[in-house]
Structures are given as C-alpha cells and as structure tokens.
Amino acid sequence: MGDRAAVGAGVCAGQKLSTALGLLPGLAVFERDEKRERQMLENLACWAGRFTPTISLAPPDTLLLEIGGCLRLFGGAEAIIAAALAGCSEQAYSVSWAAAPTPLGAGWLARIGAASVYPEMAGMQSALAKLPCAIPGWPNEVENRLESFGLKRLGELLTIPGAGLRRRVGNRPVDDLLRAWGDLHDPQKSFVFPENFAIDIELPARVEHAEALAFAGQRLFASLAGWLHGRQFLVRCCSLQLTHDEGAPTLLALNFAEPAADEARFLRLLREHLSSLKLKAPVEALRLQADELVDMPSASAQLFEQAAEGEGALACLERLRARLGDGAVQALGEAADHRPECATRSHEVVFDFGLNFSPKGTSFGARLTLGPAVASMVAASGKTPNPPPKIGRNRPLWLLPKPQALPERAGSPQWHGPLKLLSRSERLESGWWDEGEGGAAGDVRRDYFVARNPLGQWAWIFRDAEGWFLHGLFA
Amino acid sequence: MNAMPLPVALADVLARGDVWRGDTLASLPESAIPSGHAELDAELPGGGWPRGNLTEILVDRSSVGEMSLLLPALAQLSAAGGWLALVAPPWLPHGPAWAAAGLALERLVIVQAGKNAAWSVEQLLACGGFAGVLAWPDAGISAQALRRLQVAAEGRSVFACLWRSTAAAQMPSPAPLRVMLNPAAEAGLLSLRIIKRRGRPVSRPLDLSIPRPIPYLGRSSRAVAGSSLSLVAARGAAATPVA
C-alpha cells in the first residue's frame, strides 16, 4: 500500500522493493505489522462505539457497524455516515465504505469503493451482480476455475445451478454468495468493548515538541470517547504515558473536575497540559489509560435547548488548573479550628454525581476505581443546610497571609494613623497540639479587637506577648 | 438582516434594551442583581448590578466596606446555585466570614492566577458557568485586555467585577459601569460615586450604610475601647515578664 505520492509515481502492490525504490528514490518503506493493524482496528472499533453498540471486526481491514437501529437517533443513514467519515478523516484514516442490508454485501461493496448507501435489497443485489469474481478470502484456484468457466461477474454465478457450482468450487464461495444476497443468515460476532481501557500507539516519527503530540493524542482520545460511550462510563481521571527511546517514561495525569466523556473537552485539557510540558527526550509511543471510571448517570436529553453556551464552570476550572498549576484553583471550605489562619481549608474543586444527581443524596454512581484512588473531597451536601455559624459574623472577609506587626505610639497601635479599638477583647487561645511542627500555626494566645483608623478602614488586630499585629481586614 | 424594510416606530426602537436616551437610565435586557441598597438600585441602570457587562469598582484603601457592599448580591447569586470566582485576590479569604455572609463555600472558587489573571478572567467569563467573577487585575492592565474581558462577558448572565485603584478613573475603560468608593465624611458610611453608567451622569455621591462587624457609635465607643485597651495593656505588661 502506498500513499498518494507513491501511487502517483507508479508504485503499487506486488512490486519488488528495488523496483519501487527505482520509481521513487525517496520512498520510505515500512514493514507491515499485522499485530498493530489489528490493534488499530480495535481502536477504531472503540471509537465507533459512539455510533452503534453493535460492531464487528472483520480482520484484516474491515469494520462492520450495524446502523439499522440507530437511524432515528442520528437522523438517517447519511448523517451517521457523514459523521463517521468526518471522524475518520480527523484521525487521518483513509476509508472506503458502503452501507447495505447484508454484512458481506456491504463489505464487498466497500472494498471496491462503492461509497454509497443501498437501502433496498434489490439495489444491493444488482450492484453486487456487477462485481468481479475476485473476492478476498476465497482460495485463488476458485477465481481461476471460475474464469476458465467463463464466469467473470458474481451475477453470472447465480445463473448456474447451485449444486453443480458447489461440487466444482467448494461450499464456501456459494455460501458466501447466498449470505451476501441475503438468502442465508449471516450472524456476526459482535465486538466486545474491552473491560479496561488502555491503548497505545507508536508514533511514525520521533516527536520532539510537545504540541505535536496533540494530533496523535486525538486518535487516542477519540477511541476513549467511543469506548466510554459503548460501555456507558464517564472518566474521572486518565493518564497519558509518553514513552521515550531512553529514560523513564513521562506520565501525564489528566484529572477532570467532573466525570466526562466529551472528546473535545479531553483535547482542550490535553492541549493545555502539552503547552506547559517540556519534553526531556523525543517521544516514541503514547499510551492512554483510563484510571478512574464512573457509571454514566442515565439522563434524558433536554426537549428544548436549555444548556447555556460555553463549556461550563467545571470544564473551565480544569483547564485553568492545567495551566496555572495544581494548587492554583481551589474551592473554599471551613475547618473546625479557632485559630483564624486554620479556619479556612481550601480544597480541589471536585464534582460528584452522588451529590447532584441522586434524589436521596446517597452515592448513585457505583465508582469503579482502577488506578490509584484519588481522594475525592465532596463538599457538604445541600440536603442538611448547616445554620450559618455565628462565629463568622464578626470575622473579617480577608486575612493577611502573615500577621503584620504594627507599631505602637502613645499606647495605641498605628496603621495609617492611630487605630481606635471598637470592641472588647476576644481571647483566642488554642493550638498547643501542633506547636513546633513545621508550617503549623502553633500555640496562639491572642486578644483580638475590631479597630478603625482615621481613614475609615476597619481592621482586625490582635495583641500577644510580642505586641500588636494586623491580621484581618473588614472589607 | 431582513430584506423587506419594516415600518419601525420610534417608540419600539426606544424600548429596546440596548438603546438608551441621554436623559434616562438604560434598562438592560439581562436582569440586574439587586444590590441590597435601595438608593443604589435607583441609580444603577436596570435597578441593580449588571449581568453580562464589566463593572469596575475603583477603590484605593481597602477595608472600608467595599466587599460588604457586594455581599448581598453575591449571596443572592450563590443561593440560586451559582458559582462564584475570586481571581487573584490580594489577601486570603477567611472562610467562616464568607459563609456567614450567606455564600456557599463549595461553589466559591479562588484562582491564584499570577501573571495569567487577565487570561483566567476571560476564560471564566466566557465559559458561561459562573454567576459571578470578581477579579483584581494588575495595575497596568491594558485597555485592549479590558476590551477582551468586556467582549467575553457580553451576552453571559455573569456579574463581572474588576477591582482597580482610583488612579484608573482618569483612563478610559470599556466597562459600562464604573464606581468609585471612599469612606464618607460622616464616619461609618461608605461614599459611592458612579463615574460612568449608561444614562445621564450622576452629580452627587451616595452615602451608603454598610454593615460593619459592630455598630459604629462614633465618639461614644471610646469609653469601651479605652477600658479594654487599658486592660490589655496591663495584662500584656504582666504577661511579658512571665513569657
């Protein structure tokens, strides 16, 4: 098989390598690798899970999709085919196709590049009748023998008695013929979507720039999206492993803020990660693995277009996290600690179906954890609204990262002028348990005051053994 | 757009949301968010903080009640299930205080954007999933970057608020609403001046009473403060030799 440039130069199948190199000196020759072809066909079958659940592989190169049951969903065979062809060309596969009532008929017509839909049995049969008798898979002598009989087209085979033909060319061609014509049932072994998703592709050339990996990644994520659809899963995190020719592979973990199955969203996040990735060595192969899966909640499509434009909050946040770093995007939370600097506990924004989709607040999606479990922190459920804590009412909205020492003049602390204390002291004495631990707030003994300076700024200040400190701002 | 010229009455044109007459306030197509201050709502086009438009709040000195001014509107957005984002806030938010103000903390996102603040705000506005985005951009944010933010916000039902210093008041900005805050001459009030809005200019500043951690009593509070101060000073002096 040659690409377009090679075929244009006259290179074709069956030539000797030296002949082909003579025709096109710069020809790049690859050895055929049937294992990889098979792998590719399975990847493509995974991807095709988005169109129909009934897929069968017909190795070495044919994929059969049963689309009769999905016509209504997609709005006609043309729509499905257009979507499938667009998807294939995005992944840079060259495809020849046909749609017909019988699997074998469709396969034969696709092989000659029919590229059309035969909705009726009769139309397909007349198209099949014109095909030459060279059917791949039939023994070579069958074609030779048929030619010696003067039979060149499949249609001519049907005009002679079946029993005689069976005796002369064997059972298989005749049975195939009957299956193709729809006179014999032709059950197909349907493709079983793999239990776990992990596929790898070898890159045709070493890739040195991370951005160039986005294209190869597109195939992987297209397969992932189809597989998720076929198995009715959503993925919460997956990992992309970049294999280098030497050295340890690079592992890129893609964490989604909410379980997702949307290919475009995968790719946006991938690009964000790749743009900040520095490759330490050229990449040879990619491996994509779905680490943590969640059952897809059964949801009906909306009758009217109600979804807001745009990708939504969580998809946006996961892209921000990919660019800004892991700790940069956090949701706020509270911790039961009297020390102000410990009372705020921020955590990753994580979305759980158990929280939002289940009617009773119980965990709805049985979670299937394949890789290392990611601790998911779920914010308190809205079902039991906590009464607003009283303590927060006279607390400042902002805290300084570190208390700022205030000078003291004439007995009163100074912050843009003398601070006037407006409240009685509030004693906070807590934290003996983590005294001396690195990074911990430690044991604090402070008297807090609400204070105001002549400029009208309200501050939360405290006094301890070391003097006055500014700690919070009543913004 | 339409090939056939339709007879259009002037009244119909004037009734459109994006057309305003110089002597009245524009009524915005997107519903505004009541600010919680009736006298302020009366002056804001649409009767509240606008959605789908940039709002600039210019304030130099912090902790004069600038955030408390927005809290009623933010609490309303949060109670309706909306997500709120704070981009590049200058200090650390203190969780209990925000929760006490009625905000759902699990939907309050802090983005430490660093140099990518403008980009992050643009993404947050454009994604359509946020009810409110408050951002503290760099002092040197360009008019072009502001323009991009305004475009990103347009048509979304998001309350987009930028905090800038009053020095920016002299510079032109694409934000349709610009508000300057100062502590009022009368202690305990916040003076708010609308320096730009869709409508006739506002001549006088509004003095708003903003909830403060404790009621401000003016001079009479001195007695309280005096006694507690002396108490602490005495305790502090006593504690020092021990420590």
Side-chain angles (χ1 to χ4, degrees):
Chain A
M1 289 276 280
D3 65 5
R4 201 171 302 154
V7 171
V11 177
C12 63
Q15 275 171 343
K16 281 184 180 165
L17 182 58
S18 53
T19 317
L21 283 174
L23 286 168
L24 191 64
L27 191 69
V29 185
F30 298 97
E31 207 165 306
R32 184 172 172 188
D33 183 344
E34 294 192 1
K35 194 166 148 259
R36 275 177 64 193
E37 278 183 9
R38 167 90 196 181
Q39 180 70 47
M40 208 56 111
L41 201 60
E42 280 181 12
N43 294 354
L44 205 55
C46 280
W47 165 81
R50 67 191 61 205
F51 301 113
T52 166
T54 322
I55 300 169
S56 8
L57 304 183
D61 56 356
T62 309
L63 201 60
L64 293 165
L65 311 183
E66 199 279 313
I67 57 172
C70 329
L71 293 179
R72 280 279 292 275
L73 178 63
F74 284 85
E78 283 77 11
I80 301 184
I81 289 161
L85 291 179
C88 285
S89 75
E90 257 174 36
Q91 302 176 67
Y93 288 110
S94 53
V95 184
S96 60
W97 63 275
T102 65
L104 211 50
W108 288 353
L109 287 167
R111 191 168 300 283
I112 60 147
S116 50
V117 183
Y118 302 93
E120 299 297 328
M121 203 62 108
M124 177 197 68
Q125 285 168 353
S126 64
L128 283 175
K130 294 190 194 99
L131 292 187
C133 288
I135 298 295
W138 290 4
N140 265 343
E141 67 258 25
V142 172
E143 192 191 339
N144 296 339
R145 190 166 291 177
L146 290 174
E147 202 172 324
S148 67
F149 300 158
L151 299 172
K152 289 207 166 59
R153 308 266 157 199
L154 291 181
E156 296 163 6
L157 264 65
L158 288 178
T159 58
I160 57 176
L165 198 59
R166 270 178 203 279
R167 246 193 338 270
R168 287 176 176 85
V169 298
N171 280 332
R172 180 163 175 212
V174 182
D175 287 344
D176 277 355
L177 220 51
L178 292 175
R179 288 195 188 105
W181 252 256
D183 298 332
L184 205 62
H185 286 295
D186 189 10
Q188 297 291 319
K189 187 172 172 232
S190 75
F191 171 72
V192 180
F193 289 96
E195 198 66 35
N196 303 330
F197 186 87
I199 60 172
D200 26 11
I201 53 172
E202 274 178 49
L203 302 173
R206 305 271 162 89
V207 173
E208 308 206 355
H209 300 288
E211 279 89 355
L213 292 172
F215 175 74
Q218 189 175 4
R219 276 194 184 186
L220 293 175
F221 282 101
S223 294
L224 174 63
W227 177 82
L228 289 170
H229 193 268
R231 289 202 72 102
Q232 293 287 298
F233 277 141
L234 298 176
V235 66
R236 190 197 295 277
C237 67
C238 54
S239 54
L240 187 68
Q241 183 181 308
L242 317 177
T243 311
H244 308 293
D245 40 2
E246 53 191 33
T250 310
L251 202 65
L252 211 61
L254 303 166
N255 290 314
F256 299 97
E258 68 185 320
D262 179 16
E263 185 189 341
R265 179 168 176 180
F266 295 158
L267 288 176
R268 276 199 300 269
L269 188 62
L270 175 69
R271 288 212 186 86
E272 212 52 78
H273 274 288
L274 290 177
S275 67
S276 61
L277 181 70
K278 290 257 187 309
L279 288 181
K280 54 185 182 189
V283 179
E284 275 196 324
L286 295 178
R287 176 184 176 81
L288 178 66
Q289 182 176 333
D291 291 328
E292 203 180 334
L293 300 165
V294 178
D295 278 342
M296 194 183 279
S298 52
S300 311
Q302 280 162 345
L303 180 56
F304 302 108
E305 289 289 325
Q306 288 172 339
E309 289 171 64
E311 53 185 338
L314 291 160
C316 181
L317 290 177
E318 76 201 13
R319 277 193 312 117
L320 289 187
R321 192 163 61 199
R323 178 175 292 204
L324 304 174
D326 269 342
V329 179
Q330 302 225 297
L332 222 51
E334 281 183 89
D337 198 319
H338 284 291
R339 292 170 293 176
E341 49 266 74
C342 306
T344 308
R345 180 199 54 199
S346 35
H347 53 82
E348 295 288 320
V349 184
V350 177
F351 180 83
D352 204 303
F353 284 115
L355 188 67
N356 285 270
F357 283 86
S358 101
K360 295 200 180 72
T362 51
S363 185
F364 176 75
R367 193 177 312 154
L368 186 64
T369 306
L370 299 173
V374 172
S376 69
M377 222 175 266
V378 179
S381 161
K383 296 284 175 286
T384 52
N386 300 327
K390 293 231 165 59
I391 195 135
R393 209 163 286 164
N394 48 12
R395 289 278 188 266
L397 290 167
W398 302 116
L399 285 189
L400 271 61
K402 215 174 145 236
Q404 175 192 334
L406 294 177
E408 185 175 337
R409 219 166 287 142
S412 70
Q414 306 282 318
W415 182 52
H416 305 300
L419 279 166
K420 196 199 282 183
L421 306 185
L422 301 176
S423 69
R424 292 186 181 278
S425 76
E426 183 185 355
R427 179 78 173 174
L428 291 183
E429 217 179 300
S430 184
W432 52 266
W433 54 85
D434 59 6
E435 177 74 22
E437 283 176 28
D443 193 5
V444 304
R445 291 145 190 242
R446 299 166 179 170
D447 289 302
Y448 276 90
F449 297 89
V450 176
R452 184 180 178 275
N453 71 4
L455 299 172
Q457 293 174 286
W458 290 65
W460 203 40
I461 60 174
F462 69 81
R463 174 165 194 145
D464 64 5
E466 288 160 33
W468 289 100
F469 289 89
L470 171 66
H471 200 190
L473 303 171
F474 291 98
Chain B
M1 295 291 272
N2 208 327
M4 289 286 289
L6 293 169
V8 177
L10 182 60
D12 293 343
V13 175
L14 292 179
R16 285 174 47 159
D18 50 351
V19 172
W20 58 270
R21 290 167 62 154
D23 59 342
T24 58
L25 293 179
S27 64
L28 299 174
E30 285 281 352
S31 62
I33 310 148
S35 69
H37 301 274
E39 63 270 45
L40 178 58
D41 285 348
E43 295 291 339
L44 293 176
W49 298 112
R51 291 179 203 258
N53 276 313
L54 282 189
T55 300
E56 277 185 14
I57 296 188
L58 313 179
V59 57
D60 271 345
R61 295 207 173 274
S62 62
S63 64
V64 293
E66 70 276 14
M67 189 55 79
S68 306
L69 172 71
L70 296 183
L71 281 180
L74 296 181
Q76 200 182 327
L77 293 174
S78 190
W83 285 76
L84 302 173
L86 309 178
V87 183
W91 300 285
L92 305 176
H94 185 42
W98 293 84
L103 276 77
L105 294 189
E106 66 273 14
R107 288 194 305 276
L108 179 61
V109 182
I110 315 298
V111 181
Q112 302 294 350
K115 281 178 284 180
N116 289 317
W119 175 82
S120 304
V121 178
E122 193 184 340
Q123 303 299 316
L124 291 167
L125 293 177
C127 81
F130 280 85
V133 176
L134 311 182
W136 286 259
D138 299 337
I141 187 169
S142 64
Q144 196 185 359
L146 290 171
R147 181 79 220 150
R148 289 175 66 92
L149 298 186
Q150 166 67 12
V151 170
E154 263 166 29
R156 312 274 179 196
S157 76
V158 57
F159 171 50
C161 173
L162 295 185
W163 299 89
R164 304 183 67 191
S165 79
T166 51
Q170 306 306 321
M171 289 179 266
S173 160
L177 178 65
R178 307 181 83 191
V179 164
M180 186 141 64
L181 300 181
N182 277 309
E186 189 187 340
L189 295 183
L190 180 68
S191 160
L192 181 147
R193 199 154 69 82
I194 299 175
I195 55 175
K196 178 184 173 188
R197 65 174 176 180
R198 285 190 175 146
R200 66 194 142 70
V202 191
S203 52
R204 60 178 187 87
L206 298 168
D207 282 347
L208 301 173
S209 116
I210 301 293
R212 301 277 62 194
I214 51 170
Y216 185 61
L217 304 171
R219 297 191 173 278
S220 62
S221 63
R222 179 168 294 201
V224 176
S227 66
S228 67
L229 177 60
S230 57
L231 188 70
V232 171
R235 194 188 294 164
T240 315
V242 180

